[in-house]
Amino acid sequence: HYEVDHTDAQRMRQGSAQLDPFARTATNRVDDDPFSRHYESQFVNCDIRTFPMQTLGKFPVIMADPPWDIHMELPYGTMSDDEMRRMNVQVLQDDGVLFLWVTGRAMELGRECLEIWGYRFVQELLWVKTNQLQRIIRTGRTGHWINHSKEHCLIGVKGDLDDRFNQNLDCDVICAEVRETSRKPDEMYDLLERLAPGQRKLELFGRPHNVHKGWTTL
């Protein structure tokens, strides 16, 4: 759904403006800066395994934090390996980048899913977990042999990454405080906004506390 005012309609008839099908209000003004524009935040509470992904349209940036089955007791439900492989993520992007959080045994499965969904693995981002004193967490609840003090985020690309993306702007390590279970650092959203200013962004497997301006959260 979108709305266009009279001035925008006239400019589009004259061929001097392009219609933005993803904006809820008209943004096709001469003085409009697309890099300062944000889409409204949206939260969709659904069963992501059966949700018709194709109804959402396309997103240049996607971040996903799946409930991997890492063969440990966790305070939330998980998805089987085959359920993850069957996720219809590929319909959400033609050209873009996917940030996929993984941990433990899911690291290899995550790379396999990227390939199944049509992505090329290019890099890995690391979140070093700290406490309120900004010291590294040493008593994490996960880890089969030694405690995990970090999480990995696989980066996959698909199609053509044009000049909408600011590559080589940030580094591949984030040091940030641990908060609620599965909640990722806010610094991640800032990083992705710098990567793709003003672009549509989607977070899969999000919770209400994950909602951010400019993001659609499932």
Side-chain angles (χ1 to χ4, degrees):
H1 173 71
Y2 54 84
E3 298 176 0
V4 181
D5 63 21
H6 174 74
T7 303
D8 280 330
Q10 183 177 3
R11 293 183 62 230
M12 280 185 280
R13 282 195 294 268
Q14 295 172 350
S16 57
Q18 296 295 320
L19 180 63
D20 184 349
F22 300 122
R24 290 180 175 239
T25 57
T27 58
N28 302 298
R29 299 185 301 274
V30 175
D31 60 345
D32 180 58
D33 178 8
F35 292 99
S36 65
R37 183 177 70 210
H38 285 87
Y39 297 93
E40 295 182 15
S41 60
Q42 294 181 316
F43 179 75
V44 182
N45 188 9
C46 64
D47 185 341
I48 201 168
R49 296 170 297 181
T50 58
F51 186 83
M53 298 289 192
Q54 63 274 13
T55 62
L56 296 173
K58 305 294 183 179
F59 294 83
V61 176
I62 298 176
M63 180 169 66
D65 184 19
W68 304 103
D69 181 6
I70 58 174
H71 298 174
M72 294 186 66
E73 184 176 348
L74 298 170
Y76 52 81
T78 60
M79 290 175 59
S80 70
D81 295 357
D82 285 338
E83 284 179 320
M84 287 305 309
R85 294 184 182 101
R86 291 195 297 266
M87 286 286 296
N88 198 22
V89 176
Q90 55 267 28
V91 303
L92 296 169
Q93 280 185 329
D94 292 328
D95 304 286
V97 59
L98 170 63
F99 288 75
L100 182 64
W101 289 99
V102 295
T103 186
R105 63 175 293 272
M107 295 182 67
E108 294 303 321
L109 176 59
R111 293 196 183 207
E112 180 185 345
C113 287
L114 285 178
E115 184 176 355
I116 292 173
W117 300 335
Y119 291 87
R120 176 171 56 92
F121 171 74
V122 293
Q123 198 169 348
E124 182 178 302
L125 182 145
L126 193 68
W127 169 27
V128 178
K129 299 180 177 182
T130 62
N131 57 23
Q132 293 180 339
L133 300 176
Q134 300 304 305
R135 295 175 179 172
I136 295 178
I137 292 289
R138 300 182 183 276
T139 57
R141 292 176 302 166
T142 58
H144 291 282
W145 298 100
I146 55 177
N147 288 323
H148 290 170
S149 296
K150 57 181 173 49
E151 283 194 37
H152 299 255
C153 186
L154 306 180
I155 304 174
V157 298
K158 183 179 181 182
D160 179 30
L161 298 187
D162 53 24
D163 56 6
R164 293 178 301 168
F165 296 89
N166 297 321
Q167 301 181 49
N168 302 318
L169 193 62
D170 282 276
C171 71
D172 58 357
V173 177
I174 293 177
C175 295
E177 183 179 333
V178 173
R179 295 176 292 178
E180 299 93 330
T181 300
S182 294
R183 186 170 183 175
K184 297 303 182 280
D186 289 339
E187 288 86 345
M188 191 68 186
Y189 300 93
D190 296 334
L191 183 152
L192 295 179
E193 184 57 37
R194 290 189 294 271
L195 173 69
Q199 303 296 319
R200 293 186 82 210
K201 299 177 180 68
L202 173 68
E203 181 168 5
L204 300 175
F205 304 99
R207 303 182 185 188
H209 61 228
N210 296 113
V211 175
H212 279 71
K213 187 176 183 180
W215 286 75
T216 298
T217 306
L218 264 64

